[in-house]
């Protein structure tokens, strides 16, 4: 009896402590550390590391478009680049908990995410696209997905739209695993992910194809801690500088043979 | 750095986390086992609470809790959050292993040493504990192997240990099956080496007699 009473007491005490920790999440700023960086003199930025060709590992090193953009921005800010990886499902929580200064990991701006983090201007545009197995002639439009099993990366921008198209959603930690499941019979009917990521998988021998054209345009942006608008503005300035001096175009051409910012936004539906 | 070297580095991180977790777990295990068999009601209650809570919740929840839960008090790096969570988790199981081993020693031994004039602490330290430790070795070895494999869960908070490294390698080479086959073999080899070392140790204890 006494044992259970004290157990209950400790649990309630723990809950109170947790509740008290809730919102006074002060960012760890000190005076001589500009922008309150996690590591002094370094721009520490996170990506999932499983999103080829944007951020992935080659020979044990993090590389890809996002990583090079991050390095170029850090250089303009006079900081050392310090890329780290964190699974996508917990990447925003990691930022909120001050584990790194920024997310440069192909995270698209959305209003909901903006409640938790401050976003820069988009550093590229990409389209959300439906992918199916190469031999699948049944699915020709988004409407055909009703009742079908759709694979998406959890916490990605594709999660909400997928839910409006079907009730049967399967969640993944990596786009590559989701796309691979398309090629295995009876696993998945479709995957929704970025156009560029799907084309990269096809280049690597995946037997998949796209359905129609991109459903919408997303605005991947750099996220920083919500209170840290100084850092956000400094990154925005550095981003504009690398766009103006041609560094951006050079990096984009290297990875995609085109400039990802060159896109006709006239009739596009922007995802928010 | 080649992929191969990257994997070796990841193996090292896996071993480091496991080692820290094993040491922490053993220390916690001994302390809480002694608390649980002590005569103090308060110490017993604290030990019971710890063991009940830790064994009653999944390791993954404990890892997340330590990494994200108390950031306003202390900010742990992902490595330390993972290693400490694993250590605390192990402590609860190791405490029960030690308690079982100590209580498994025949009452007569304790009574005999008390009759010889040793006090309770001396009895525990010189007579009961050395024998209990020997009995605890096989289940402890088992627990250490579980720890080694459980350390793969810390990939979820972004530690570049073996599983996390493999996961990212698979996303870049587009070969899920092959990569996880290889990483499975890494774990298997590590466990086999560990089992072998344990066997040597057990044999040594037996050969020496007491």
């Amino acid at each position: 009896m006494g044992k259970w009473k004290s157990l209950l007491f400790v649990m309630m005490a723990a809950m109170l402590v947790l509740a008290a920790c809730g919102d006074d999440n002060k960012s760890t700023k000190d005076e001589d550390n500009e922008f309150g960086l996690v590591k002094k003199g370094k721009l520490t930025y996170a990506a999932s590391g499983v999103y080829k060709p944007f951020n992935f590992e080659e020979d044990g090193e993090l590389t890809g478009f996002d990583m090079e953009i991050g390095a170029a921005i850090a250089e303009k800010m006079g900081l050392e680049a310090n890329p780290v990886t964190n699974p996508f499902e917990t990447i925003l929580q990691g930022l909120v908990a001050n584990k790194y200064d920024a997310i440069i990991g192909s995270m698209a701006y959305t209003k909901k995410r903006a409640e938790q983090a401050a976003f820069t201007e988009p550093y590229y545009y990409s389209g959300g696209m439906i992918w199916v197995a190469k031999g699948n002639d049944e699915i020709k439009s988004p409407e055909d997905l009703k009742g079908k099993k759709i694979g998406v990366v959890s916490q990605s921008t594709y999660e909400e739209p997928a839910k409006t198209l079907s009730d049967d959603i399967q969640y993944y930690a990596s786009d590559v695993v989701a796309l691979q499941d398309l090629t295995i019979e009876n696993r998945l009917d479709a995957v929704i992910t970025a156009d560029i990521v799907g084309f990269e998988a096809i280049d690597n021998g995946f037997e998949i194809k796209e359905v129609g054209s991109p459903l919408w345009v997303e605005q991947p942006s750099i996220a920083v801690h919500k209170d840290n608008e100084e850092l956000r503005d400094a990154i925005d300035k550095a981003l504009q500088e690398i766009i103006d001096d041609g560094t951006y175009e050079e990096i984009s051409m290297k990875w995609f043979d085109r400039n990802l910012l060159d896109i006709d936004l006239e009739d596009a539906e922007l995802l928010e | 750095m080649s992929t191969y070297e990257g994997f070796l580095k990841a193996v090292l991180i896996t071993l480091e986390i496991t080692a820290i977790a094993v040491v922490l777990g053993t220390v916690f295990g001994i302390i809480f086992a002694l608390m649980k068999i002590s005569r103090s009601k308060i110490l017993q209650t604290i030990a019971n609470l710890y063991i009940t809570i830790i064994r009653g919740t999944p390791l993954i929840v404990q890892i997340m809790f330590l990494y994200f839960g108390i950031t306003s008090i202390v900010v742990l790096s992902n490595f330390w959050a993972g290693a400490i969570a694993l250590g605390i988790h192990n402590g609860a199981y190791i405490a029960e292993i030690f308690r079982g081993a100590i209580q498994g020693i025949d009452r007569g031994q304790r009574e005999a040493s008390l009759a010889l004039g040793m006090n309770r602490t001396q009895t525990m330290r010189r007579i009961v504990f050395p024998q209990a430790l020997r009995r605890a070795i096989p289940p402890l070895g088992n627990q250490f192997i579980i720890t080694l494999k459980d350390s793969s869960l810390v990939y979820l908070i972004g530690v570049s240990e073996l599983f996390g490294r493999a996961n990212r390698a698979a996303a870049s080479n587009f070969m899920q099956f092959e990569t996880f086959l290889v990483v499975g073999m890494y774990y298997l080899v590590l466990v086999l080496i560990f089992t072998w070392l344990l066997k040597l140790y057990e044999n040594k204890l037996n050969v020496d007699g007491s």
Side-chain angles (χ1 to χ4, degrees):
Chain A
M1 189 58 197
K3 192 169 104 187
W4 294 111
K5 254 190 202 158
S6 42
L7 174 70
L8 213 70
F9 175 75
V10 168
M11 277 168 69
M12 277 164 67
M15 280 171 186
L16 276 175
V17 170
L18 272 182
C21 301
D23 28 20
D24 60 349
N25 209 336
K26 34 190 188 305
S27 54
T28 47
K29 270 184 206 170
D30 58 71
E31 290 309 313
D32 57 328
N33 186 348
E34 215 185 348
F35 312 123
L37 298 171
V38 172
K39 278 195 178 141
K40 215 175 154 187
K42 288 182 181 179
L43 183 66
T44 307
Y45 51 97
S48 69
V50 292
Y51 198 62
K52 202 177 180 181
F54 290 95
N55 53 76
F56 64 104
E57 270 182 18
E58 199 164 63
D59 299 334
E61 300 276 4
L62 269 174
T63 181
F65 177 77
D66 290 344
M67 296 295 108
E68 292 196 6
I69 293 292
I73 285 173
E75 201 191 319
K76 278 275 183 268
M77 293 169 71
L79 296 168
E80 198 184 320
N82 180 30
V84 296
T85 58
N86 193 87
F88 203 75
E89 296 105 304
T90 56
I91 205 163
L92 255 180
Q93 289 98 299
L95 181 74
V96 171
N98 278 319
K99 305 291 179 187
Y100 25 81
D101 305 314
I103 298 169
I104 311 186
S106 292
M107 176 176 269
Y109 161 84
T110 65
K111 280 181 181 156
K112 216 168 143 201
R113 283 174 179 160
E115 288 168 14
Q116 292 186 63
F119 283 89
T120 65
E121 291 295 309
Y123 66 99
Y124 71 91
Y125 295 98
S126 78
M129 190 97 107
I130 297 172
W131 299 88
V132 295
K134 208 171 184 179
N136 187 331
D137 295 320
E138 206 186 326
I139 297 165
K140 294 196 175 75
S141 72
E143 289 73 43
D144 295 337
L145 287 175
K146 202 165 209 126
K148 295 278 192 279
K149 195 177 218 174
I150 307 177
V152 287
V153 168
S154 54
Q155 303 297 314
S156 71
T157 42
Y158 310 113
E159 198 177 319
E160 289 302 319
K163 280 190 207 158
T164 65
L165 293 170
S166 174
D167 294 329
D168 194 0
I169 310 286
Q170 187 156 326
Y171 296 95
Y172 292 87
S174 152
D175 294 273
V176 174
V177 180
L179 290 172
Q180 184 145 54
D181 265 3
L182 272 183
T183 66
I184 299 164
E185 230 168 311
N186 300 325
R187 281 261 177 97
L188 271 186
D189 295 303
V191 166
I192 304 179
T193 188
D195 44 6
I196 302 162
V197 172
F199 288 125
E200 174 77 19
I202 292 176
D203 287 345
N204 278 274
F206 278 29
E207 304 260 300
I208 57 173
K209 66 178 183 190
E210 75 273 25
V211 172
S213 47
L215 301 166
W216 62 79
V217 170
E218 318 198 356
Q219 310 170 72
S221 309
I222 298 167
V224 302
H225 203 276
K226 206 170 183 333
D227 310 330
N228 205 342
E229 277 174 13
E230 279 166 68
L231 178 62
R232 199 261 312 269
D233 296 343
I235 291 178
D236 253 336
K237 191 168 153 267
L239 176 63
Q240 197 53 51
E241 278 172 32
I242 65 167
I243 293 170
D244 292 342
D245 73 6
T247 312
Y248 180 92
E249 180 147 13
E250 203 177 297
I251 297 171
S252 184
M253 290 301 282
K254 176 183 161 192
W255 289 99
F256 308 107
D257 285 324
R258 65 189 171 93
N259 188 332
L260 291 187
L261 282 175
D262 272 348
I263 180 172
D264 184 14
L265 290 171
E266 199 82 346
D267 315 303
E269 187 195 338
L270 281 176
L271 186 86
E272 296 195 319
Chain B
M1 187 164 58
S2 72
T3 307
Y4 175 68
E5 280 172 75
F7 267 65
L8 285 187
K9 211 174 139 201
V11 165
L12 206 67
I13 296 174
T14 288
L15 289 177
E16 280 168 7
I17 287 202
T18 307
I20 295 168
V22 159
V23 171
L24 273 182
T26 308
V27 171
F28 286 148
I30 292 174
I31 292 173
F32 284 100
L34 292 176
M35 279 166 71
K36 202 167 168 176
I37 58 174
S38 74
R39 281 182 295 189
S40 154
K41 269 268 178 293
I42 299 168
L43 291 183
Q44 278 178 25
T45 309
I46 294 172
N48 275 327
L49 271 177
Y50 166 73
I51 293 170
T52 307
I53 291 173
I54 296 301
R55 291 210 305 186
T57 52
L59 173 56
I60 190 127
V61 174
Q62 293 160 13
I63 292 173
M64 291 298 193
F65 180 82
L66 212 62
Y67 187 56
F68 293 119
I70 49 170
T71 47
S72 47
I73 302 165
V74 57
V75 178
L76 290 168
S77 70
N78 53 8
F79 177 88
W80 281 102
I84 294 172
L86 260 179
I88 292 174
H89 182 79
N90 268 305
Y93 289 91
I94 293 175
E96 289 292 85
I97 291 174
F98 277 124
R99 186 184 61 88
I102 291 170
Q103 290 184 335
I105 303 295
D106 189 46
R107 280 187 73 84
Q109 304 247 354
R110 200 168 318 193
E111 283 160 9
S113 31
L114 289 173
L116 277 171
M118 291 191 194
N119 61 30
R120 274 178 61 91
T121 319
Q122 286 171 325
T123 304
M124 180 56 81
R125 216 179 58 219
R126 296 190 189 158
I127 308 294
V128 179
F129 201 74
Q131 296 184 76
L133 190 63
R134 247 180 80 182
R135 284 199 192 175
I137 299 275
L140 274 180
N142 211 4
Q143 188 61 35
F144 295 165
I145 287 170
I146 293 172
T147 310
L148 176 67
K149 293 186 287 182
D150 276 354
S151 70
S152 57
L153 283 177
V154 304
Y155 107 94
L156 255 178
I157 52 172
V159 181
S160 275
E161 46 66 69
L162 192 46
F163 184 80
R165 172 73 64 165
N167 194 35
R168 296 200 301 279
S172 136
N173 62 25
F174 291 80
M175 294 189 295
Q176 307 286 333
F177 174 73
E178 294 85 343
T179 308
F180 288 109
L181 183 71
V182 169
V183 93
M185 290 196 296
Y186 270 82
Y187 277 109
L188 183 61
V189 168
L190 290 178
V191 168
L192 287 178
I193 293 174
F194 198 74
T195 311
W196 175 71
L197 286 174
L198 217 68
K199 190 105 197 147
L200 281 185
Y201 187 60
E202 274 180 50
N203 285 342
K204 189 169 158 263
L205 282 182
N206 281 337
V207 169
D208 286 346
S210 51

